[in-house]
Amino acid sequence: MTFNTVKRHFRESIKSLGRNSWMTLASVSAVTVTLILVGVFALIMMNLNKVATDLENDVEIKVLIDETADEAAEQALVKNLKTWASISEVTYSTKEDELNKLVKDFGDDFKLFEQSNPLRNVIYVKAADPQQTAKVAKEINKHDYIYDVMYGEGKVEKLFNFLNISRNVGIVLILGLLFTAIFLISNTIRITIIARRDEIEIMKLVGATNSFVRIPFLLEGMWLGILGSIIPIAVVTTLYHNIYKIIAPRLQGELIQLLDFSPLVYQVSALLLLIGVLIGIWGSFMSVRKFLKI
């Protein structure tokens, strides 16, 4: 393909946008509305995914050591757990440390137990894969010198199920919006192609190849996608900037945090631009394909 041919394709695709201004406006509007929704959902889902990951990583197993275990047995148990590939973090805490935590969290009333501490030495464990917390806890419970293993049984499984469902629902919604955008662009460009069907037939009869006819339409779809992504990028950037400025300072020191403004908005903006271009090209490709069979 020569440079002049490429230049001709670009020129024709841009001219077509002007000749079919109402259809161009309809297509760009469809893409704009859809990508705004995709962008907002993407921001929500990426932040929800971070919250979910933070919650998962905060889940830990509390291993209460039996009082019959001496210091050597306790250290052997800690050393053994650190060798497990399914465990990412092991922390030993004496019963004195545990009592100090209670005093710090709930007040000086617990200092009454300093003379006869009823607590046990503890090992805190985090699973390498938080989703496997219950399985790891059951394996730990099989070892000697284990009095009890606590990890929020029942609640943890419900939490993980809820987080997985939330992620899957978000993915389905975004995919649904993308297919809607492809459908709208495809139909809009199909109407344009029908109006130019005679032109396409003449080009085919004089020997134009399918690619020669198709490329201007693909470029036209690309322009529609680019134009349709400009406003969504601006909306998403402005929206998240204002939300981050208001909410982020109030969450400092908390477990739940928003994703940083940068690079999140740049990632989402690039994603919206890429999606706009891809669905524009794909919508054009699907529309023009059936009209090339002469």
Side-chain angles (χ1 to χ4, degrees):
M1 187 180 297
T2 64
F3 174 76
N4 287 334
T5 302
V6 173
K7 187 167 68 172
R8 181 260 176 197
H9 288 327
F10 273 92
R11 185 173 62 249
E12 286 300 313
S13 67
I14 294 173
K15 283 182 178 179
S16 179
L17 294 178
R19 284 196 302 263
N20 303 280
S21 56
W22 284 109
M23 299 310 300
T24 297
L25 181 61
S27 296
V28 170
S29 299
V31 177
T32 297
V33 172
T34 306
L35 288 186
I36 287 176
L37 294 175
V38 170
V40 171
F41 270 107
L43 289 177
I44 293 173
M45 290 310 304
M46 291 173 79
N47 275 283
L48 282 180
N49 187 62
K50 182 183 185 303
V51 170
T53 302
D54 290 342
L55 289 174
E56 287 175 344
N57 291 334
D58 194 56
V59 172
E60 61 183 5
I61 302 166
K62 186 175 183 179
V63 182
L64 303 180
I65 304 174
D66 196 284
E67 291 181 341
T68 60
D70 57 20
E71 184 177 350
E74 290 183 349
Q75 294 306 313
L77 179 58
V78 171
K79 186 176 181 180
N80 177 267
L81 293 176
K82 287 183 176 179
T83 64
W84 289 25
S86 57
I87 293 176
S88 63
E89 186 177 327
V90 177
T91 305
Y92 177 77
S93 178
T94 66
K95 62 183 182 178
E96 289 77 18
D97 293 332
E98 293 299 295
L99 183 57
N100 289 334
K101 290 179 185 177
L102 287 176
V103 172
K104 180 180 178 181
D105 292 339
F106 300 105
D108 293 340
D109 290 344
F110 283 91
K111 287 184 177 182
L112 297 172
F113 297 102
E114 287 180 345
Q115 299 302 319
S116 62
N117 191 337
L119 302 178
R120 296 176 184 273
N121 296 336
V122 173
I123 303 174
Y124 290 100
V125 174
K126 287 190 177 182
D129 178 4
Q131 299 276 347
Q132 299 297 316
T133 297
K135 181 179 178 181
V136 173
K138 290 176 182 177
E139 291 298 319
I140 294 174
N141 203 28
K142 295 177 182 178
H143 278 254
D144 296 331
Y145 302 113
I146 302 297
Y147 175 77
D148 195 10
V149 176
M150 304 164 62
Y151 64 94
E153 185 176 3
K155 295 180 180 179
V156 167
E157 289 85 351
K158 291 180 181 178
L159 172 64
F160 289 157
N161 287 335
F162 173 76
L163 295 177
N164 289 333
I165 291 172
S166 299
R167 286 166 170 158
N168 292 333
V169 168
I171 292 172
V172 170
L173 287 174
I174 289 177
L175 288 177
L177 289 170
L178 293 180
F179 280 116
T180 300
I182 291 174
F183 175 77
L184 291 172
I185 292 176
S186 178
N187 281 340
T188 303
I189 294 177
R190 183 180 289 116
I191 294 172
T192 302
I193 293 172
I194 290 174
R196 298 168 60 188
R197 190 170 185 178
D198 291 341
E199 177 186 341
I200 294 174
E201 290 180 355
I202 293 172
M203 293 172 66
K204 290 286 292 180
L205 291 173
V206 298
T209 62
N210 286 344
S211 61
F212 186 87
V213 177
R214 181 185 291 121
I215 289 176
F217 289 103
L218 298 183
L219 291 174
E220 186 176 337
M222 181 187 72
W223 297 130
L224 293 174
I226 292 174
L227 291 172
S229 66
I230 293 174
I231 293 178
I233 289 173
V235 169
V236 165
T237 301
T238 303
L239 179 65
Y240 195 69
H241 173 73
N242 291 328
I243 291 175
Y244 187 83
K245 186 170 61 175
I246 295 171
I247 297 179
R250 300 180 182 180
L251 295 178
Q252 286 186 352
E254 301 293 335
L255 172 62
I256 297 175
Q257 298 286 329
L258 292 178
L259 287 167
D260 291 337
F261 177 80
S262 174
L264 176 61
V265 291
Y266 300 113
Q267 293 171 344
V268 173
S269 296
L271 178 65
L272 292 179
L273 180 60
L274 178 63
I275 290 174
V277 170
L278 290 180
I279 62 178
I281 292 175
W282 181 252
S284 297
F285 178 81
M286 296 302 293
S287 298
V288 77
R289 184 176 58 176
K290 64 180 294 184
F291 294 103
L292 293 178
K293 299 174 182 178
I294 298 176

